Amino acid sequence: MINKIKKYIIPNGLIGKDDRIIAAVSGGADSVAMLLILNELKKSLSFYLEVVHVEHGIRGEQSLSDARFVEKLCKNLEIPINIFHVDVINYAKSHGLGEEEAARILRYEKFKKVAFSRAEKSDSVKIAIAHHLEDNTETILFQMARGTGIDGVCGIEPIRHVSKNVYYIRPLLGVSRAEIERFLAEKNQDFCTDSTNSDIQYDRNRIRKNILPQLNQINNQAVLHINETANKLREIRNYFRKEADREYKKIVSIEHDKHGNEVYNININKLSECDIAIAKEVIRTTIISCAKKKKDITNKHVMAVLDLINKQTGRKVLLPYNIQAVVSYETIKVFLKNKVKENKKNVDYKDVRNVIEIKSDFFEKLEELVDGEKLIISLNDGTKSYFSVRLLHASVNPEDLIKKKYTKYLDYDKIKKGFQIRNRRSGDFIVSDSDGHHKKLKSYFIDEKVLASERDHIPLLTQDSEIIWIVGMRIGYSYRISDMTESILEIQYNGGN
């Protein structure tokens, strides 16, 4: 087992001489096995080793027991350890996330915190994660089920650059869970079992518990074959990217506007001469280069820009992260729009004196507008207060979903049947999570310490008694954007005078 891991590490360039390896150890079988193997290899491969353990605060005493187990293991192995305690439940609540996603964000934040501090004194820092063959298979199947590009079916990368001299590595990616368990049994090594791993309400657990066993009944080498296919696809993808990068340099030029912002110019004639696969990759690379990130850049956005090839000058599309692509004669210009600063002060709410019904005729007008144009809903309350609404056919920067108090993004298909704008009524509730749990508006106001004198004056967007948005506060889980969202309703409250 140890020699097999070593033979995987060296050709994939996972660990070099004098690297500082930070092993992410939860206490589970996979991470414990990884720690033992790295400890065995640190002398022959000549690297430094330490551990990070993140206690999520979800499973009470069981979670604390896991932390003590990892601490004792590291003490016996004489390996330095960093233990962090995080509050996943409150983080998930305050950021509108599920606990699984919140735990992952907080966990990786701590991994990177330690890595970045070590990177100041080390030439190369690697964060070792204990993903194995089955984990990779689960990832590939999950990505395919929800929709993905070639990167998704290539699976987990053995090594991935984070920033500067920091990387993620997966030294166990070439071994199976069964091999890991046999290794631990031979070593007579205990490990912790996370009770949430058997909960099939989580998508990955459902794949692990239900789908993989069915695939193994078809072929007991199914997991291995899926991983081998992913590796072949990764090789093809890497070659394709080199070819696309060569064309990108011929087709795309960069200039700067008067504010010093980058403007990416795509030559339409040269792009039109390319094979469709190369053309789409050139556009994808352009958007990512402008955004400085890959997340939320999908095929939908690539196709929207590609569609501009045959459009007249001035036609444009809105893209994630406030990026815009505009036709300018023989060029498509891709650039970051100047951000409009939102008023962060608390709005002095006025009564919504009458119930305002937003019906189908409003949405018909909205759908006739050019992408990005707005409609106004006046509150007729004696002030200049109003809502501005626009329809987007592109993803929204996830940061906007959290940080903007008075602008929210809703799943258009879930709201286009109509809604009301009004003040609170008896029986109002908000759906608080993915399980559909209801919370009474009164209870929400009490929990958020909203003064009783203010509660009757806060505007609400509702569908009957279900709350879409408590203006200035949270939106109902039912109306959130998901991976299935095709169109987005942006709604902004302007408090008037």
Side-chain angles (χ1 to χ4, degrees):
M1 176 79 164
I2 292 175
N3 285 332
K4 183 176 182 179
I5 300 298
K6 187 175 182 179
K7 288 178 181 179
Y8 184 82
I9 287 173
I10 293 173
N12 283 290
L14 302 191
I15 298 176
K17 184 180 179 182
D18 295 329
D19 281 356
R20 181 168 289 278
I21 307 301
I22 298 168
V25 181
S26 66
D30 307 333
S31 62
V32 168
M34 180 182 71
L35 179 60
L36 296 182
I37 291 166
L38 291 175
N39 192 49
E40 292 272 356
L41 291 174
K42 68 181 181 183
K43 187 173 182 180
S44 63
L45 294 181
S46 188
F47 61 84
Y48 303 97
L49 179 63
E50 64 179 300
V51 166
V52 172
H53 175 83
V54 180
E55 190 274 307
H56 297 115
I58 298 176
R59 294 176 292 122
E61 176 56 31
Q62 187 183 27
S63 183
L64 295 171
S65 177
D66 291 352
R68 291 192 293 269
F69 170 85
V70 176
E71 185 175 27
K72 183 178 179 180
L73 177 61
C74 290
K75 183 178 180 180
N76 292 339
L77 295 173
E78 297 182 343
I79 299 172
I81 182 172
N82 308 270
I83 296 179
F84 296 94
H85 299 271
V86 296
D87 188 346
V88 167
I89 295 174
N90 279 330
Y91 184 89
K93 178 182 176 183
S94 62
H95 290 75
L97 302 171
E99 288 183 6
E100 187 178 25
E101 184 181 359
R104 183 185 182 281
I105 291 171
L106 292 175
R107 186 165 61 247
Y108 276 77
E109 278 183 0
K110 299 306 180 186
F111 297 163
K112 289 188 287 187
K113 178 181 179 180
V114 175
F116 291 157
S117 67
R118 304 299 183 264
E120 296 174 2
K121 296 182 180 179
S122 299
D123 292 333
S124 179
V125 178
K126 310 283 180 59
I127 303 168
I129 312 292
H131 288 134
H132 49 71
L133 284 172
E134 282 86 353
D135 289 323
N136 197 25
T137 303
E138 290 165 18
T139 297
I140 293 166
L141 294 175
F142 179 68
Q143 299 273 42
M144 291 175 66
R146 72 176 186 177
T148 187
I150 190 170
D151 284 338
V153 291
C154 287
I156 302 171
E157 301 283 347
I159 182 168
R160 183 165 68 86
H161 184 240
V162 180
S163 68
K164 297 181 181 178
N165 55 339
V166 176
Y167 301 81
Y168 290 124
I169 60 171
R170 272 88 177 185
L172 302 191
L173 210 50
V175 298
S176 68
R177 171 73 183 200
E179 289 176 287
I180 290 170
E181 290 178 350
R182 282 198 299 270
F183 171 78
L184 291 173
E186 290 168 2
K187 292 287 185 180
N188 197 28
Q189 175 62 59
D190 292 334
F191 54 88
C192 304
T193 301
D194 186 341
S195 58
T196 61
N197 286 341
S198 60
D199 188 347
I200 61 171
Q201 72 170 319
Y202 298 117
D203 292 332
R204 289 184 180 273
N205 290 350
R206 196 176 301 123
I207 293 171
R208 184 183 309 124
K209 295 290 184 180
N210 297 339
I211 297 175
L212 290 188
Q214 293 293 321
L215 289 174
N216 284 327
Q217 285 186 23
I218 297 171
N219 187 318
N220 60 12
Q221 297 293 305
V223 168
L224 180 62
H225 292 164
I226 290 171
N227 278 269
E228 288 174 344
T229 300
N231 290 336
K232 293 173 185 176
L233 285 171
R234 192 178 298 117
E235 292 172 354
I236 295 168
R237 179 204 61 189
N238 292 343
Y239 171 76
F240 172 73
R241 288 271 164 82
K242 289 180 182 177
E243 293 300 308
D245 186 56
R246 187 179 292 114
E247 293 302 314
Y248 174 85
K249 292 175 182 176
K250 297 176 184 177
I251 295 168
V252 181
S253 61
I254 304 174
E255 62 182 9
H256 292 83
D257 64 17
K258 61 183 181 181
H259 302 292
N261 300 316
E262 291 178 333
V263 179
Y264 292 78
N265 296 308
I266 303 174
N267 186 298
I268 291 177
N269 292 329
K270 291 180 180 179
L271 186 71
S272 300
E273 294 172 358
C274 290
D275 180 270
I276 184 65
I278 294 290
K280 288 166 70 175
E281 184 62 22
V282 166
I283 292 170
R284 177 179 176 273
T285 302
T286 303
I287 299 172
I288 290 171
S289 298
C290 187
K292 302 295 186 287
K293 59 185 77 177
K294 294 182 180 180
K295 184 174 170 59
D296 298 315
I297 309 300
T298 69
N299 187 61
K300 176 173 63 177
H301 307 120
V302 172
M303 293 306 296
V305 176
L306 185 64
D307 189 53
L308 290 176
I309 286 178
N310 299 314
K311 303 296 184 183
Q312 63 188 25
T313 291
R315 291 301 298 270
K316 61 187 177 182
V317 293
L318 300 175
L319 300 167
Y321 307 112
N322 211 35
I323 292 171
Q324 187 168 279
V326 181
V327 179
S328 178
Y329 301 101
E330 304 300 320
T331 300
I332 297 173
K333 294 182 177 291
V334 180
F335 54 92
L336 184 67
K337 291 177 63 181
N338 290 328
K339 291 188 175 180
V340 179
K341 292 185 177 179
E342 181 175 11
N343 182 7
K344 299 297 180 182
K345 296 179 181 178
N346 289 329
V347 173
D348 181 15
Y349 295 113
K350 307 295 181 182
D351 286 34
V352 182
R353 295 179 181 175
N354 300 300
V355 176
I356 299 174
E357 289 278 355
I358 306 301
K359 298 182 179 180
S360 58
D361 58 340
F362 176 87
F363 296 106
E364 289 172 4
K365 291 179 183 178
L366 188 64
E367 291 173 4
E368 291 173 358
L369 298 179
V370 175
D371 202 15
E373 291 186 339
K374 297 182 179 181
L375 285 181
I376 300 299
I377 304 171
S378 175
L379 298 190
N380 298 319
D381 59 356
T383 74
K384 296 181 180 179
S385 301
Y386 65 91
F387 287 91
S388 62
V389 180
R390 65 172 175 163
L391 188 60
L392 304 176
H393 297 285
S395 292
V396 176
N397 183 347
E399 294 177 358
D400 291 340
L401 305 182
I402 299 168
K403 293 183 178 179
K404 291 189 175 183
K405 289 179 65 176
Y406 301 111
T407 302
K408 294 299 174 187
Y409 299 88
L410 309 170
D411 189 317
Y412 180 63
D413 287 332
K414 296 177 181 177
I415 201 173
K416 66 181 182 181
K417 66 180 182 181
F419 62 91
Q420 302 86 41
I421 302 173
R422 59 174 175 80
N423 297 121
R424 69 170 177 160
R425 291 175 178 170
S426 176
D428 285 342
F429 68 90
I430 190 165
V431 175
S432 58
D433 57 34
S434 59
D435 293 326
H437 292 128
H438 290 191
K439 188 167 193 173
K440 291 182 178 179
L441 179 60
K442 181 178 180 180
S443 298
Y444 176 81
F445 281 154
I446 291 170
D447 290 346
E448 297 299 317
K449 298 180 173 59
V450 178
L451 295 176
S453 59
E454 295 179 358
R455 296 174 192 173
D456 286 331
H457 308 295
I458 295 176
L460 305 174
L461 268 66
T462 67
Q463 285 183 333
D464 298 324
S465 294
E466 182 175 355
I467 295 171
I468 300 169
W469 179 24
I470 306 168
V471 174
M473 300 179 194
R474 71 172 296 175
I475 62 174
Y477 197 94
S478 306
Y479 303 93
R480 290 179 54 184
I481 295 169
S482 70
D483 292 336
M484 303 300 292
T485 300
E486 295 184 359
S487 297
I488 297 166
L489 188 81
E490 179 195 79
I491 184 161
Q492 181 179 37
Y493 177 74
N494 297 270
N497 297 323

